[in-house]
Amino acid sequence: MEPSEAFSEQELLIVEAFLGLLDEKPYGKVAVKELTGRCHIARTTFYRFFEDVDDLMNRIEEYLLGELVLYAPAKTRAAAREDAHMALEGRPYESIRHWFAVGVKRRGMLRPVMGTNGDIYFKERLIVRVRSELNAMMDDEGVARDAMRPYYVAAIAASYVDLLHFMALQDADEPVDVDGFAQIANSMRVAYFKGDPTAPEIPDSKLFGVGRDSAPLP
């Protein structure tokens, strides 16, 4: 969903002005008066859409969380046919690549939100979500819910979000190799399936993506 579909025209003016201000100061120090002056609207217009600056930040974060869906379980396949956003259900590698592609596309929002002046808690919210979706991915792949699984999930989720965070903070003009990010992110998953004797066997097309049955280890 494009930002113009998630926010009204006036809301988007406020969002863009707010994100711009985060280049100058911590979001907790942004005053509504300063923000409305920046986007040339009345304060009453701001309060028509948002309760306060915290509510504005939360709306932006909810939008980003809605965009950054890592994985849709295979059991959602029937519903996914009706929703292009979920079209990669049941396809782990493609889902990982799509997640980073969305991150690149939304870098203009992610950079201020995850930057020095943004919300330090957004990263934790994203990690919690990614852990849940990684568990769904592992369920589909037949990974046992044993004592070690939470540690794999915690390590992989943190690495994915850290990689996204690092990418978001780079210069906006810096070219991004989405396939490269996906391969880096997928390497921990590959290490588990290829190196852990308790891991279930899955075809390389699942591990490396469709058409990669004879792909070498990265």
PDB file of all heavy atoms in Angstrom, residues 76-98:
ATOM      1  N   THR A  76      -2.495 -19.844   4.622  1.00  0.00           N
ATOM      2  CA  THR A  76      -3.256 -18.682   4.166  1.00  0.00           C
ATOM      3  C   THR A  76      -3.345 -18.633   2.646  1.00  0.00           C
ATOM      4  O   THR A  76      -3.798 -17.662   2.078  1.00  0.00           O
ATOM      5  CB  THR A  76      -2.609 -17.371   4.652  1.00  0.00           C
ATOM      6  OG1 THR A  76      -1.345 -17.210   4.002  1.00  0.00           O
ATOM      7  CG2 THR A  76      -2.427 -17.351   6.141  1.00  0.00           C
ATOM      8  N   ARG A  77      -2.905 -19.697   1.986  1.00  0.00           N
ATOM      9  CA  ARG A  77      -2.768 -19.682   0.530  1.00  0.00           C
ATOM     10  C   ARG A  77      -4.056 -19.282  -0.184  1.00  0.00           C
ATOM     11  O   ARG A  77      -4.040 -18.481  -1.111  1.00  0.00           O
ATOM     12  CB  ARG A  77      -2.306 -21.057   0.048  1.00  0.00           C
ATOM     13  CG  ARG A  77      -1.968 -21.117  -1.427  1.00  0.00           C
ATOM     14  CD  ARG A  77      -1.174 -22.372  -1.724  1.00  0.00           C
ATOM     15  NE  ARG A  77       0.097 -22.331  -1.021  1.00  0.00           N
ATOM     16  CZ  ARG A  77       0.841 -23.405  -0.802  1.00  0.00           C
ATOM     17  NH1 ARG A  77       0.451 -24.576  -1.186  1.00  0.00           N
ATOM     18  NH2 ARG A  77       1.993 -23.278  -0.163  1.00  0.00           N
ATOM     19  N   ALA A  78      -5.192 -19.817   0.241  1.00  0.00           N
ATOM     20  CA  ALA A  78      -6.451 -19.498  -0.439  1.00  0.00           C
ATOM     21  C   ALA A  78      -6.757 -18.012  -0.328  1.00  0.00           C
ATOM     22  O   ALA A  78      -7.109 -17.355  -1.305  1.00  0.00           O
ATOM     23  CB  ALA A  78      -7.593 -20.322   0.154  1.00  0.00           C
ATOM     24  N   ALA A  79      -6.578 -17.468   0.877  1.00  0.00           N
ATOM     25  CA  ALA A  79      -6.841 -16.040   1.068  1.00  0.00           C
ATOM     26  C   ALA A  79      -5.827 -15.199   0.313  1.00  0.00           C
ATOM     27  O   ALA A  79      -6.144 -14.121  -0.181  1.00  0.00           O
ATOM     28  CB  ALA A  79      -6.794 -15.697   2.561  1.00  0.00           C
ATOM     29  N   ALA A  80      -4.612 -15.715   0.193  1.00  0.00           N
ATOM     30  CA  ALA A  80      -3.542 -14.938  -0.454  1.00  0.00           C
ATOM     31  C   ALA A  80      -3.851 -14.669  -1.919  1.00  0.00           C
ATOM     32  O   ALA A  80      -3.403 -13.670  -2.468  1.00  0.00           O
ATOM     33  CB  ALA A  80      -2.216 -15.686  -0.331  1.00  0.00           C
ATOM     34  N   ARG A  81      -4.594 -15.568  -2.553  1.00  0.00           N
ATOM     35  CA  ARG A  81      -4.920 -15.350  -3.964  1.00  0.00           C
ATOM     36  C   ARG A  81      -5.719 -14.069  -4.149  1.00  0.00           C
ATOM     37  O   ARG A  81      -5.744 -13.489  -5.223  1.00  0.00           O
ATOM     38  CB  ARG A  81      -5.714 -16.545  -4.503  1.00  0.00           C
ATOM     39  CG  ARG A  81      -4.905 -17.839  -4.569  1.00  0.00           C
ATOM     40  CD  ARG A  81      -5.642 -18.899  -5.381  1.00  0.00           C
ATOM     41  NE  ARG A  81      -4.946 -20.168  -5.317  1.00  0.00           N
ATOM     42  CZ  ARG A  81      -5.287 -21.171  -4.522  1.00  0.00           C
ATOM     43  NH1 ARG A  81      -6.319 -21.044  -3.722  1.00  0.00           N
ATOM     44  NH2 ARG A  81      -4.607 -22.298  -4.531  1.00  0.00           N
ATOM     45  N   GLU A  82      -6.388 -13.651  -3.076  1.00  0.00           N
ATOM     46  CA  GLU A  82      -7.205 -12.446  -3.143  1.00  0.00           C
ATOM     47  C   GLU A  82      -6.427 -11.210  -2.704  1.00  0.00           C
ATOM     48  O   GLU A  82      -6.938 -10.107  -2.751  1.00  0.00           O
ATOM     49  CB  GLU A  82      -8.438 -12.609  -2.233  1.00  0.00           C
ATOM     50  CG  GLU A  82      -9.258 -13.858  -2.519  1.00  0.00           C
ATOM     51  CD  GLU A  82      -9.779 -13.893  -3.945  1.00  0.00           C
ATOM     52  OE1 GLU A  82     -10.146 -12.812  -4.449  1.00  0.00           O
ATOM     53  OE2 GLU A  82      -9.793 -14.976  -4.552  1.00  0.00           O
ATOM     54  N   ASP A  83      -5.179 -11.412  -2.257  1.00  0.00           N
ATOM     55  CA  ASP A  83      -4.401 -10.305  -1.711  1.00  0.00           C
ATOM     56  C   ASP A  83      -2.993 -10.351  -2.261  1.00  0.00           C
ATOM     57  O   ASP A  83      -2.184 -11.179  -1.871  1.00  0.00           O
ATOM     58  CB  ASP A  83      -4.376 -10.409  -0.175  1.00  0.00           C
ATOM     59  CG  ASP A  83      -3.694  -9.206   0.466  1.00  0.00           C
ATOM     60  OD1 ASP A  83      -3.116  -8.392  -0.263  1.00  0.00           O
ATOM     61  OD2 ASP A  83      -3.746  -9.107   1.702  1.00  0.00           O
ATOM     62  N   ALA A  84      -2.685  -9.437  -3.176  1.00  0.00           N
ATOM     63  CA  ALA A  84      -1.373  -9.449  -3.830  1.00  0.00           C
ATOM     64  C   ALA A  84      -0.248  -9.263  -2.824  1.00  0.00           C
ATOM     65  O   ALA A  84       0.863  -9.752  -3.019  1.00  0.00           O
ATOM     66  CB  ALA A  84      -1.315  -8.349  -4.891  1.00  0.00           C
ATOM     67  N   HIS A  85      -0.523  -8.571  -1.716  1.00  0.00           N
ATOM     68  CA  HIS A  85       0.508  -8.322  -0.705  1.00  0.00           C
ATOM     69  C   HIS A  85       0.994  -9.623  -0.083  1.00  0.00           C
ATOM     70  O   HIS A  85       2.132  -9.718   0.377  1.00  0.00           O
ATOM     71  CB  HIS A  85      -0.063  -7.412   0.386  1.00  0.00           C
ATOM     72  CG  HIS A  85       0.948  -6.982   1.403  1.00  0.00           C
ATOM     73  ND1 HIS A  85       2.024  -6.186   1.085  1.00  0.00           N
ATOM     74  CD2 HIS A  85       1.049  -7.244   2.726  1.00  0.00           C
ATOM     75  CE1 HIS A  85       2.737  -5.958   2.178  1.00  0.00           C
ATOM     76  NE2 HIS A  85       2.169  -6.599   3.173  1.00  0.00           N
ATOM     77  N   MET A  86       0.138 -10.656  -0.073  1.00  0.00           N
ATOM     78  CA  MET A  86       0.479 -11.918   0.559  1.00  0.00           C
ATOM     79  C   MET A  86       0.809 -12.990  -0.470  1.00  0.00           C
ATOM     80  O   MET A  86       0.774 -14.181  -0.181  1.00  0.00           O
ATOM     81  CB  MET A  86      -0.692 -12.387   1.439  1.00  0.00           C
ATOM     82  CG  MET A  86      -1.177 -11.344   2.426  1.00  0.00           C
ATOM     83  SD  MET A  86       0.055 -10.918   3.665  1.00  0.00           S
ATOM     84  CE  MET A  86      -0.198 -12.261   4.814  1.00  0.00           C
ATOM     85  N   ALA A  87       1.132 -12.587  -1.671  1.00  0.00           N
ATOM     86  CA  ALA A  87       1.301 -13.546  -2.767  1.00  0.00           C
ATOM     87  C   ALA A  87       2.481 -14.486  -2.591  1.00  0.00           C
ATOM     88  O   ALA A  87       2.564 -15.494  -3.281  1.00  0.00           O
ATOM     89  CB  ALA A  87       1.449 -12.794  -4.087  1.00  0.00           C
ATOM     90  N   LEU A  88       3.375 -14.199  -1.650  1.00  0.00           N
ATOM     91  CA  LEU A  88       4.559 -15.036  -1.472  1.00  0.00           C
ATOM     92  C   LEU A  88       4.395 -16.042  -0.334  1.00  0.00           C
ATOM     93  O   LEU A  88       5.380 -16.593   0.150  1.00  0.00           O
ATOM     94  CB  LEU A  88       5.787 -14.141  -1.204  1.00  0.00           C
ATOM     95  CG  LEU A  88       6.146 -13.210  -2.363  1.00  0.00           C
ATOM     96  CD1 LEU A  88       7.288 -12.294  -1.965  1.00  0.00           C
ATOM     97  CD2 LEU A  88       6.526 -13.998  -3.605  1.00  0.00           C
ATOM     98  N   GLU A  89       3.150 -16.283   0.096  1.00  0.00           N
ATOM     99  CA  GLU A  89       2.931 -17.238   1.178  1.00  0.00           C
ATOM    100  C   GLU A  89       3.554 -18.589   0.851  1.00  0.00           C
ATOM    101  O   GLU A  89       3.558 -19.052  -0.284  1.00  0.00           O
ATOM    102  CB  GLU A  89       1.431 -17.411   1.456  1.00  0.00           C
ATOM    103  CG  GLU A  89       0.498 -17.366   0.267  1.00  0.00           C
ATOM    104  CD  GLU A  89       0.712 -18.460  -0.752  1.00  0.00           C
ATOM    105  OE1 GLU A  89       0.744 -19.631  -0.383  1.00  0.00           O
ATOM    106  OE2 GLU A  89       0.853 -18.111  -1.939  1.00  0.00           O
ATOM    107  N   GLY A  90       4.130 -19.200   1.892  1.00  0.00           N
ATOM    108  CA  GLY A  90       4.682 -20.527   1.738  1.00  0.00           C
ATOM    109  C   GLY A  90       5.986 -20.578   0.958  1.00  0.00           C
ATOM    110  O   GLY A  90       6.466 -21.667   0.636  1.00  0.00           O
ATOM    111  N   ARG A  91       6.598 -19.432   0.655  1.00  0.00           N
ATOM    112  CA  ARG A  91       7.842 -19.399  -0.129  1.00  0.00           C
ATOM    113  C   ARG A  91       8.876 -18.590   0.655  1.00  0.00           C
ATOM    114  O   ARG A  91       9.017 -17.388   0.472  1.00  0.00           O
ATOM    115  CB  ARG A  91       7.578 -18.799  -1.501  1.00  0.00           C
ATOM    116  CG  ARG A  91       6.608 -19.627  -2.347  1.00  0.00           C
ATOM    117  CD  ARG A  91       6.103 -18.853  -3.544  1.00  0.00           C
ATOM    118  NE  ARG A  91       7.198 -18.428  -4.421  1.00  0.00           N
ATOM    119  CZ  ARG A  91       7.038 -17.564  -5.438  1.00  0.00           C
ATOM    120  NH1 ARG A  91       5.848 -17.041  -5.676  1.00  0.00           N
ATOM    121  NH2 ARG A  91       8.063 -17.230  -6.189  1.00  0.00           N
ATOM    122  N   PRO A  92       9.603 -19.253   1.553  1.00  0.00           N
ATOM    123  CA  PRO A  92      10.477 -18.536   2.490  1.00  0.00           C
ATOM    124  C   PRO A  92      11.514 -17.620   1.849  1.00  0.00           C
ATOM    125  O   PRO A  92      11.593 -16.442   2.201  1.00  0.00           O
ATOM    126  CB  PRO A  92      11.147 -19.666   3.277  1.00  0.00           C
ATOM    127  CG  PRO A  92      10.137 -20.775   3.238  1.00  0.00           C
ATOM    128  CD  PRO A  92       9.527 -20.692   1.872  1.00  0.00           C
ATOM    129  N   TYR A  93      12.316 -18.137   0.912  1.00  0.00           N
ATOM    130  CA  TYR A  93      13.371 -17.288   0.362  1.00  0.00           C
ATOM    131  C   TYR A  93      12.784 -16.078  -0.356  1.00  0.00           C
ATOM    132  O   TYR A  93      13.250 -14.948  -0.168  1.00  0.00           O
ATOM    133  CB  TYR A  93      14.276 -18.061  -0.601  1.00  0.00           C
ATOM    134  CG  TYR A  93      15.353 -17.170  -1.187  1.00  0.00           C
ATOM    135  CD1 TYR A  93      16.492 -16.872  -0.456  1.00  0.00           C
ATOM    136  CD2 TYR A  93      15.190 -16.573  -2.443  1.00  0.00           C
ATOM    137  CE1 TYR A  93      17.456 -16.012  -0.962  1.00  0.00           C
ATOM    138  CE2 TYR A  93      16.152 -15.707  -2.948  1.00  0.00           C
ATOM    139  CZ  TYR A  93      17.280 -15.435  -2.206  1.00  0.00           C
ATOM    140  OH  TYR A  93      18.224 -14.572  -2.703  1.00  0.00           O
ATOM    141  N   GLU A  94      11.775 -16.298  -1.173  1.00  0.00           N
ATOM    142  CA  GLU A  94      11.148 -15.196  -1.895  1.00  0.00           C
ATOM    143  C   GLU A  94      10.546 -14.179  -0.923  1.00  0.00           C
ATOM    144  O   GLU A  94      10.552 -12.973  -1.169  1.00  0.00           O
ATOM    145  CB  GLU A  94      10.078 -15.715  -2.851  1.00  0.00           C
ATOM    146  CG  GLU A  94      10.625 -16.459  -4.062  1.00  0.00           C
ATOM    147  CD  GLU A  94      10.910 -17.937  -3.786  1.00  0.00           C
ATOM    148  OE1 GLU A  94      10.823 -18.359  -2.611  1.00  0.00           O
ATOM    149  OE2 GLU A  94      11.224 -18.651  -4.736  1.00  0.00           O
ATOM    150  N   SER A  95      10.016 -14.681   0.206  1.00  0.00           N
ATOM    151  CA  SER A  95       9.442 -13.789   1.214  1.00  0.00           C
ATOM    152  C   SER A  95      10.516 -12.922   1.858  1.00  0.00           C
ATOM    153  O   SER A  95      10.309 -11.731   2.099  1.00  0.00           O
ATOM    154  CB  SER A  95       8.721 -14.610   2.285  1.00  0.00           C
ATOM    155  OG  SER A  95       7.609 -15.289   1.735  1.00  0.00           O
ATOM    156  N   ILE A  96      11.661 -13.533   2.136  1.00  0.00           N
ATOM    157  CA  ILE A  96      12.776 -12.782   2.728  1.00  0.00           C
ATOM    158  C   ILE A  96      13.227 -11.682   1.767  1.00  0.00           C
ATOM    159  O   ILE A  96      13.432 -10.526   2.152  1.00  0.00           O
ATOM    160  CB  ILE A  96      13.945 -13.726   3.058  1.00  0.00           C
ATOM    161  CG1 ILE A  96      13.540 -14.677   4.182  1.00  0.00           C
ATOM    162  CG2 ILE A  96      15.195 -12.936   3.447  1.00  0.00           C
ATOM    163  CD1 ILE A  96      14.493 -15.845   4.372  1.00  0.00           C
ATOM    164  N   ARG A  97      13.369 -12.044   0.497  1.00  0.00           N
ATOM    165  CA  ARG A  97      13.804 -11.061  -0.497  1.00  0.00           C
ATOM    166  C   ARG A  97      12.782  -9.928  -0.615  1.00  0.00           C
ATOM    167  O   ARG A  97      13.152  -8.745  -0.678  1.00  0.00           O
ATOM    168  CB  ARG A  97      13.993 -11.717  -1.863  1.00  0.00           C
ATOM    169  CG  ARG A  97      14.578 -10.765  -2.893  1.00  0.00           C
ATOM    170  CD  ARG A  97      14.528 -11.303  -4.312  1.00  0.00           C
ATOM    171  NE  ARG A  97      15.154 -10.360  -5.237  1.00  0.00           N
ATOM    172  CZ  ARG A  97      14.595  -9.222  -5.647  1.00  0.00           C
ATOM    173  NH1 ARG A  97      13.381  -8.880  -5.222  1.00  0.00           N
ATOM    174  NH2 ARG A  97      15.245  -8.407  -6.476  1.00  0.00           N
ATOM    175  N   HIS A  98      11.496 -10.288  -0.625  1.00  0.00           N
ATOM    176  CA  HIS A  98      10.434  -9.282  -0.727  1.00  0.00           C
ATOM    177  C   HIS A  98      10.481  -8.341   0.468  1.00  0.00           C
ATOM    178  O   HIS A  98      10.286  -7.122   0.322  1.00  0.00           O
ATOM    179  CB  HIS A  98       9.079  -9.985  -0.803  1.00  0.00           C
ATOM    180  CG  HIS A  98       7.910  -9.044  -0.834  1.00  0.00           C
ATOM    181  ND1 HIS A  98       7.600  -8.284  -1.924  1.00  0.00           N
ATOM    182  CD2 HIS A  98       6.995  -8.735   0.121  1.00  0.00           C
ATOM    183  CE1 HIS A  98       6.527  -7.548  -1.659  1.00  0.00           C
ATOM    184  NE2 HIS A  98       6.145  -7.794  -0.422  1.00  0.00           N
TER     185      HIS A  98
END
